Amino acid sequence: MDTNAKIYGDLEKILVTREQIAKAVKDMGRQLTQDFAGKEPVMICILKGASVFFTDLIREIDLPLTTEFMAVSSYGSSTKSTGVVKIVKDLDKPVTGRDVVLVEDIVDSGMTLSYLKKVFANREAASVSIVTLLDKPARRRVDLQVQYSCFNIPDAFVVGYGLDYDEKYRNLPDIGVLHPRIYTK
Ligand code: 5GP
């Protein structure tokens, strides 16, 4: 653990290693290649948290596909989400009739994705699927079906591999639990 030694010092522990992530992303790519065979999905990266996962994942999918980027903000404190979602950056092209795959970093209460699913249903996508790197099922507040999840994790605030606290830690190659002293000071 000598790389990123300064930021690793802010972690309580490592939860998912880069090796575990790489394997899970490969497996997920293979699964999506199978499940979307014969289709041309539009993969939608939910910025910024999913950006690292997204760029790794799409290279593991052996299908013709297109990519889009969307940014949403949820109002609330930086370690808890409120479910009130605002689209800060929308897609470049319409998704009418397309098989939409929403790629998210983490599902917590489920409010963000539940809102986005409705948005894409209203836009008349042919289908809307959800792929998440991490899932915290214990925190779910809405009934949301997550078809594709790489890791279920306990209720803790995590950073790394794209996930931030106050815009930092996205560059950690592993996923770790942020030490509470960082956000309670
Ligand atoms: P939800 O709407 O499911 O409650 O929240 C999803 C969003 O909350 C995620 O996209 C992410 O931005 C944020 N979030 C939830 N839990 C965590 C966490 O443990 N770490 C980080 N960095 N963000 C989180």
Side-chain angles (χ1 to χ4, degrees):
M1 217 204 264
D2 7 69
T3 52
N4 304 85
K6 282 204 177 75
I7 36 184
Y8 274 112
D10 291 347
L11 300 184
E12 202 169 65
K13 62 173 173 184
I14 302 276
L15 205 57
V16 192
T17 65
R18 62 194 82 181
E19 291 81 13
Q20 290 170 315
I21 295 170
K23 182 182 182 304
V25 170
K26 238 183 208 319
D27 291 347
M28 184 61 79
R30 201 175 302 125
Q31 186 69 53
L32 294 170
T33 303
Q34 246 176 47
D35 294 0
F36 286 85
K39 297 183 174 161
E40 190 175 315
V42 51
M43 308 290 297
I44 302 182
C45 174
I46 311 298
L47 296 169
K48 299 176 189 169
S51 57
V52 179
F53 175 44
F54 185 82
T55 52
D56 281 347
L57 178 65
I58 58 170
R59 285 175 290 172
E60 298 294 342
I61 303 174
D62 186 14
L63 289 176
L65 55 79
T66 58
T67 58
E68 286 281 350
F69 296 82
M70 183 173 215
V72 298
S73 75
S74 90
Y75 300 101
S77 80
S78 41
T79 58
K80 295 259 182 312
S81 102
T82 56
V84 184
V85 179
K86 187 176 152 204
I87 297 176
V88 180
K89 185 223 171 292
D90 210 334
L91 312 183
D92 294 332
K93 291 215 172 117
V95 292
T96 320
R98 299 289 306 275
D99 292 296
V100 165
V101 182
L102 298 173
V103 181
E104 180 61 298
D105 53 355
I106 184 164
V107 184
D108 186 45
S109 70
M111 314 270 275
T112 306
L113 280 170
S114 157
Y115 172 82
L116 289 179
K117 267 196 100 163
K118 281 190 205 115
V119 167
F120 286 103
N122 285 339
R123 292 182 183 185
E124 296 176 348
S127 66
V128 185
S129 308
I130 293 173
V131 180
T132 188
L133 173 68
L134 305 171
D135 191 358
K136 289 184 195 170
R139 302 238 332 143
R140 200 72 92 254
R141 284 170 55 199
V142 290
D143 184 23
L144 175 78
Q145 232 197 313
V146 180
Q147 297 98 322
Y148 301 103
S149 162
C150 293
F151 301 100
N152 279 356
I153 61 164
D155 180 11
F157 191 79
V158 296
V159 294
Y161 195 66
L163 288 99
D164 78 312
Y165 172 68
D166 203 15
E167 292 302 327
K168 287 179 282 196
Y169 310 103
R170 295 193 197 276
N171 56 322
L172 280 178
D174 309 280
I175 294 166
V177 176
L178 189 63
H179 201 291
R181 77 175 138 77
I182 304 297
Y183 51 87
T184 49
K185 64 183 168 193

